[in-house]
Amino acid sequence: QVQLVESGGGLVQAGGSLRLSCAASTSILSITTMGWHRQAPGKQRELVAGITSGGNTNYADSVKGRFTISRDNAKNTVYLQMNSLKPEDTAVYYCNGVYRFVRYWGQGTRVTVSS
């Protein structure tokens, strides 16, 4: 099993920045793909960004150019740098990773962007 623990959420004004962290209980080199999803009130969970063990990244169109996903293999941590935040980015952000064909999820961290 893999435990994923997110941190870094909070309240920020529109235009501000936050950095989310996701610490894994195992080497992230053994996790095929890691990423961030988010779920806003009354909406379905959606992909925000993903990063493979080889470092390839992908982003939702709504966050391209504003968010950056990265990984620090030595710290077993994946980050999501969020800049130019908008009220519509308000959601609970979930870290996830695929390990041995099973997708694991963190408990989520709340991001609130005020206008």
Side-chain angles (χ1 to χ4, degrees), residues 17-79:
S17 298
L18 282 175
R19 188 177 79 157
L20 305 183
S21 300
C22 172
S25 61
T26 189
S27 169
I28 60 174
L29 290 172
S30 62
I31 301 177
T32 308
T33 301
M34 294 194 71
W36 293 90
H37 282 64
R38 67 186 180 188
Q39 187 165 19
K43 295 188 177 181
Q44 289 189 330
R45 192 173 295 189
E46 62 176 1
L47 171 69
V48 176
I51 186 167
T52 67
S53 55
N56 294 318
T57 60
N58 65 290
Y59 297 92
D61 288 343
S62 60
V63 307
K64 281 181 181 176
R66 300 188 298 122
F67 290 11
T68 303
I69 189 170
S70 62
R71 57 194 295 156
D72 185 333
N73 295 332
K75 295 183 177 180
N76 294 326
T77 300
V78 173
Y79 303 98

